[in-house]
Amino acid sequence: MAVLSVLTPALVAVLCLVVGFMLLRPWERKTTGASEGKVSNTESRPWVDQDLQDSSEISAKETEGDDWADSCEEEDVAHVPYSPERYSEETMLKKSKDFYSLMNQRRSVRFISPEPVPREVIDQVIHTAGTGPSGAHTEPWTFVVVSDPEVKHQIRLTVEEEEEMNYRQRMGDKWVQDLSKFRTNWMKEYLDVAPYLILIFKQTYGILPNSKKKTHYYNEISVSISCGILLAALQNVGLVTVTSTPLNCGPRLRLLLKRPVNEKLLMLLPVGYPASDATVPDLKRKALQDIVVHI
Amino acid sequence: MAVLSVLTPALVAVLCLVVGFMLLRPWERKTTGASEGKVSNTESRPWVDQDLQDSSEISAKETEGDDWADSCEEEDVAHVPYSPERYSEETMLKKSKDFYSLMNQRRSVRFISPEPVPREVIDQVIHTAGTGPSGAHTEPWTFVVVSDPEVKHQIRLTVEEEEEMNYRQRMGDKWVQDLSKFRTNWMKEYLDVAPYLILIFKQTYGILPNSKKKTHYYNEISVSISCGILLAALQNVGLVTVTSTPLNCGPRLRLLLKRPVNEKLLMLLPVGYPASDATVPDLKRKALQDIVVHI
């Protein structure tokens, strides 16, 4: 009886510990995942959970004001008058319609002609992309233009290898059955064929003269905006591309292209003339009234 | 003694529960913080740690292939021939230079004229922004155009309130001393003055006809690209703006503008003609050779 009265507290303690662990486990799993960026399901999909803020909102808390050029670095920069060309209302309306018409003809094109494209045009297009705004005027972008056939092929192999893993992991047995229905798969022939591959890297931070890291606020948003201007510039000269974000192969492509560790691959754009038999999916865009709200 | 032997297990149980709770609390706090986007230091600054993956890379693991239109939803869409206008090399080069020249004149302008701007031009500009590519053709954007003076003023009050907190929290006493050096502060007069405020929301998910959530892959990158095209369209008609990301006030502005919970504010662009005495900081852009690498 005396033994039992000693044992009982011990037994209760063990029971409590077991219950405690069962309570702890779910939190632990959740937290570890979050800090490693490897959370599955809802937690790793910021767009699914309305309450889960994504990086842009987290990063906003770290910035020095929301106005992209309100940085300390700019305080002592002299101001100069700015008076761009001004058009009549009639001209504005015509220009806006013409530009809409031009941009509305843009499509993501996977069938790219191998014909050569003047390099100077590509340079002008990238120069244009470089006019985009950026957080604190950091200009956090590097455009790697690959025309070397061997390097293009290496890129293709890397992308296809990762893509095949994506497809197989995603589809399993069902993939094998359904393959015939697919119009696109992991094969990216255009990566060999297109005369240029433009790989757009975001510089996640910069290096100051004193070797310290310089924060690049909003680098992903800035580089994406710049990519929008690049797409407009390509369309303006009659070249095509398909916007892709091969992020699973980012580290391998970064090493292949010998980019520094502060750069991360954001997009890969194969660029050229459309193939003479190019096709695009017959998709429609939303009507204006479905994307705009006037207040 | 019999009472004690009954009480002891109860006491041990209480002790274990207390210890258990102490173990639980830190995890809980961490997890809550992560889900609310309130993590501090390294965890909230994806750009500082090269090994810490940011949202774009996390999301990549969840996507169904890296090619934006390789979605299952597109499989059964018919393909149609695509043959856009083709220019001579000479014309391409001229067009690319002209477009660079136009875009290179774009600047972020904080001094906006109150003069009215034709609403149809704004609509065309937004329609143009809506031609951007998006992950799986989800078109995850809503452009809220505010011209109502009272709503504009409410937006200004909200933004300034949050901005003042940013400034004061950031600068503390030093802020008071250094204020005179500042050319910009938390006052955003242009939010009252500009004839239009365009608030760009990213739709973090969509709603399917069966009421289920539809994942919007790469919604932030897509909307940012669209914003790049919008900036090009504004520049094309001679209007100015300043790109800002007032994310600290996102939830308040979402409620003010009665946007649904799946929409998050990504950018706020005041739009109008430049004021006749507008100035801009005398900043230079990087040279082409500093942003491009040829391989």
Side-chain angles (χ1 to χ4, degrees):
Chain A
M1 193 64 189
V3 172
L4 208 101
S5 69
V6 170
L7 269 183
T8 314
L11 273 169
V12 172
V14 168
L15 255 170
C16 285
L17 281 174
V18 169
V19 171
F21 258 90
M22 285 167 70
L23 279 167
L24 242 161
R25 289 299 293 274
W27 292 111
E28 191 176 11
R29 221 175 298 136
K30 228 168 159 185
T31 315
T32 311
S35 63
E36 288 175 7
K38 282 176 188 163
V39 211
S40 62
N41 302 329
T42 46
E43 276 212 287
S44 62
R45 305 171 77 172
W47 51 74
V48 173
D49 184 344
Q50 73 209 41
D51 294 313
L52 191 65
Q53 295 185 311
D54 66 22
S55 66
S56 61
E57 275 158 285
I58 295 166
S59 62
K61 296 186 197 308
E62 301 292 319
T63 63
E64 305 176 354
D66 63 353
D67 194 338
W68 281 20
D70 271 354
S71 79
C72 295
E73 295 147 68
E74 260 192 34
E75 279 153 40
D76 298 322
V77 175
H79 271 233
V80 291
Y82 182 70
S83 52
E85 195 169 343
R86 178 154 171 174
Y87 310 105
S88 70
E89 290 196 357
E90 200 186 348
T91 306
M92 283 173 87
L93 192 53
K94 184 179 182 325
K95 282 176 77 76
S96 68
K97 284 179 177 173
D98 289 348
F99 195 64
Y100 165 71
S101 172
L102 175 69
M103 288 300 124
N104 195 36
Q105 288 167 51
R106 189 202 57 76
R107 293 296 309 266
S108 292
V109 177
R110 287 165 194 75
F111 306 99
I112 297 178
S113 164
E115 294 164 272
V117 168
R119 178 176 141 164
E120 204 181 339
V121 171
I122 299 296
D123 275 343
Q124 287 290 341
V125 163
I126 288 171
H127 211 176
T128 308
T131 66
S134 55
H137 194 53
T138 44
E139 303 172 279
W141 37 64
T142 305
F143 300 88
V144 180
V145 180
V146 179
S147 52
D148 181 286
E150 183 48 41
V151 179
K152 282 198 292 179
H153 191 63
Q154 286 299 319
I155 291 171
R156 177 180 175 179
L157 292 180
T158 304
V159 171
E160 286 186 350
E161 211 174 293
E162 295 289 340
E163 273 292 88
E164 183 175 355
M165 274 169 61
N166 292 342
Y167 272 81
R168 288 198 189 274
Q169 282 174 0
R170 170 178 124 228
M171 305 197 68
D173 290 342
K174 196 169 176 301
W175 167 81
V176 182
Q177 296 164 30
D178 295 350
L179 187 64
S180 58
K181 287 204 305 193
F182 270 75
R183 285 170 173 276
T184 57
N185 57 20
W186 68 74
M187 300 293 284
K188 310 283 179 197
E189 200 187 343
Y190 55 70
L191 295 177
D192 267 331
V193 173
Y196 295 101
L197 304 182
I198 303 181
L199 292 98
I200 310 180
F201 287 83
K202 57 176 184 170
Q203 299 167 354
T204 54
Y205 58 88
I207 310 289
L208 292 169
N210 63 7
S211 304
K212 288 200 173 169
K213 287 182 182 179
K214 174 186 170 191
T215 307
H216 280 180
Y217 302 115
Y218 298 112
N219 63 76
E220 184 165 307
I221 295 179
S222 304
V223 177
S224 301
I225 290 175
S226 164
C227 178
I229 298 172
L230 188 145
L231 293 178
L234 284 174
Q235 178 65 12
N236 177 59
V237 295
L239 294 174
V240 296
T241 188
V242 51
T243 312
S244 75
T245 42
L247 288 159
N248 283 346
C249 24
R252 287 173 68 186
L253 294 182
R254 181 178 72 73
L255 289 174
L256 175 69
L257 302 173
K258 301 186 177 60
R259 301 311 307 157
V261 290
N262 64 328
E263 296 190 3
K264 289 192 176 190
L265 182 64
L266 190 62
M267 324 239 195
L268 193 170
L269 307 183
V271 171
Y273 299 104
S276 57
D277 57 352
T279 59
V280 294
D282 193 15
L283 296 172
K284 303 295 174 222
R285 293 192 170 113
K286 288 181 181 171
L288 178 61
Q289 61 265 32
D290 295 331
I291 65 169
V292 73
V293 176
H294 281 278
I295 292 177
Chain B
M1 195 60 190
V3 173
L4 209 99
S5 70
V6 170
L7 269 183
T8 315
L11 274 169
V12 171
V14 169
L15 254 168
C16 283
L17 280 175
V18 168
V19 170
F21 258 89
M22 285 168 68
L23 279 168
L24 244 162
R25 290 299 292 275
W27 292 111
E28 192 176 9
R29 220 174 297 137
K30 222 170 164 184
T31 316
T32 312
S35 65
E36 289 175 6
K38 282 176 184 159
V39 209
S40 61
N41 303 330
T42 46
E43 277 208 286
S44 61
R45 307 174 74 170
W47 55 73
V48 173
D49 185 344
Q50 73 210 40
D51 294 313
L52 191 66
Q53 295 185 313
D54 65 23
S55 66
S56 61
E57 274 158 286
I58 295 166
S59 62
K61 296 187 197 308
E62 300 293 318
T63 64
E64 306 175 353
D66 63 354
D67 195 335
W68 280 22
D70 271 354
S71 79
C72 296
E73 296 147 68
E74 261 192 34
E75 280 154 38
D76 298 321
V77 175
H79 271 233
V80 291
Y82 182 71
S83 53
E85 194 169 341
R86 178 154 172 174
Y87 310 105
S88 70
E89 291 197 357
E90 200 186 349
T91 307
M92 282 173 87
L93 193 54
K94 183 178 183 323
K95 282 177 77 75
S96 68
K97 284 180 178 173
D98 288 348
F99 194 66
Y100 165 71
S101 171
L102 175 68
M103 288 300 123
N104 195 35
Q105 288 167 50
R106 190 202 57 77
R107 293 298 308 267
S108 292
V109 178
R110 288 164 194 76
F111 305 98
I112 297 177
S113 163
E115 293 164 273
V117 168
R119 180 177 138 162
E120 205 181 339
V121 171
I122 299 296
D123 275 342
Q124 288 290 340
V125 163
I126 288 171
H127 210 176
T128 308
T131 68
S134 54
H137 195 54
T138 44
E139 302 173 277
W141 37 64
T142 304
F143 300 88
V144 179
V145 180
V146 179
S147 53
D148 181 285
E150 183 49 40
V151 180
K152 283 197 292 179
H153 192 62
Q154 286 298 319
I155 292 172
R156 178 181 175 178
L157 292 180
T158 304
V159 172
E160 286 186 350
E161 213 173 293
E162 295 290 341
E163 271 294 87
E164 183 175 356
M165 274 168 61
N166 292 342
Y167 273 81
R168 288 198 189 273
Q169 282 174 0
R170 170 177 125 230
M171 304 197 68
D173 290 343
K174 197 168 175 300
W175 169 81
V176 182
Q177 297 164 29
D178 294 349
L179 186 65
S180 58
K181 287 203 306 193
F182 269 75
R183 286 169 173 276
T184 56
N185 57 20
W186 68 74
M187 301 294 284
K188 310 282 181 198
E189 201 187 342
Y190 54 70
L191 295 177
D192 267 330
V193 172
Y196 295 102
L197 304 182
I198 303 181
L199 292 96
I200 310 179
F201 287 83
K202 56 176 185 171
Q203 299 167 355
T204 53
Y205 58 88
I207 310 289
L208 292 168
N210 63 5
S211 304
K212 288 200 172 169
K213 288 181 182 179
K214 175 187 170 191
T215 307
H216 279 182
Y217 301 115
Y218 298 112
N219 64 75
E220 184 165 307
I221 294 179
S222 304
V223 177
S224 301
I225 289 175
S226 165
C227 178
I229 298 172
L230 189 144
L231 292 178
L234 285 173
Q235 178 66 11
N236 176 58
V237 295
L239 294 174
V240 296
T241 189
V242 51
T243 312
S244 75
T245 42
L247 288 159
N248 284 344
C249 24
R252 288 173 68 186
L253 294 182
R254 182 177 71 73
L255 289 174
L256 176 69
L257 302 172
K258 301 186 176 59
R259 300 312 306 157
V261 290
N262 65 329
E263 296 190 2
K264 290 192 175 190
L265 182 65
L266 189 63
M267 323 238 196
L268 193 169
L269 307 183
V271 171
Y273 300 105
S276 57
D277 57 351
T279 59
V280 293
D282 192 16
L283 296 173
K284 303 295 174 223
R285 293 193 169 111
K286 287 181 181 171
L288 177 62
Q289 62 266 30
D290 294 331
I291 65 170
V292 73
V293 176
H294 281 278
I295 291 175

